[in-house]
Amino acid sequence: MSIILDKNSRILIQGITGRDGSFHAKKINDYCGVVVGGVTPKKNGFTNKGFPLFDAVEKALLETDANSSIIFVPARFAPNAINEAIDAGIKTIIVVTEGIPVHEMIKIYKKASLKDVRIVGPNTPGMLIPGVILAGIIPPHITMCGDVGLVSRSGTLTYQILSDMKEDGFGVSTAIGVGGDQIVGTRLSEVVQMFGDDPETKTIVMIGEIGGNEEQKVAKLVRDGKIKKPIVAYIAGRNAPPEKKMGHAGAIIAGKGMSASEKIKELEDSGIKVARLPWQIPELLKEI
């Protein structure tokens, strides 16, 4: 069993002729060979690094067996790209783009929910199932196969912690970044529940941060007995002042329960081990 994507996923790259889209399309395909084409306006019939190009997602689906898409489109055009993928019938959309306006993402989230479309992101590094599939920008060499499911609100911390875990002999079943923007399509608590139901995942690592209440939702899932697997967590932003956005659009202490210290207390009260520094996560995993 895999989380969200698997070896049968077939990916379109929207924005494939841009610098980032072109670079990562090749990296993804070199790793797992799942990219079936790209979408860029006015490029129908052309190729880019060997990938067939289409000027619309609907045309791409007529000629490929794509079922997923990765968005590398600039923020001002990204809502149109996401909506186009949803309307064409794509069922899993990973949005690497950051800074999409909140009001646009609210509308997209509602539309995707009605059409049973899974959106990961925006502002996500995507996901990696080692040895199976790369769908995003996580460097595969920093991790290895294992039975730890890792979910994160931070891209950079994802990379650091994956590398630290590998150095101590811990690999992952799936690593996924849910994204750092205020509105994201797949929430932290949803992915933790997926890992809780995944037979290939024995332990869960959760990387949270200030802002929102997703970490508290995870604590409640544990208290209610809905997650029975051990969880190791890290919460970024212990020194962040109230009302100041720190790095991510969603990382702002705007109300009670949103600070790192409040989240840490609730997690620990629920029996979740919480590292005070990122590189302590492997140490806590050894104690499980």
Side-chain angles (χ1 to χ4, degrees), residues 126-143:
M127 60 180 293
L128 170 67
I129 304 172
V132 178
I133 190 168
L134 168 66
I137 62 176
I138 299 174
H141 70 274
I142 63 174
T143 190

Side-chain angles (χ1 to χ4, degrees), residues 132-176:
V132 178
I133 190 168
L134 168 66
I137 62 176
I138 299 174
H141 70 274
I142 63 174
T143 190
M144 61 185 183
C145 294
D147 59 12
V148 179
L150 184 144
V151 57
S152 175
R153 291 176 63 189
S154 166
T156 304
L157 281 173
T158 299
Y159 310 151
Q160 178 182 336
I161 291 170
L162 284 174
S163 181
D164 290 342
M165 287 170 53
K166 180 181 179 182
E167 190 172 322
D168 277 275
F170 294 100
V172 298
S173 54
T174 300
I176 178 168

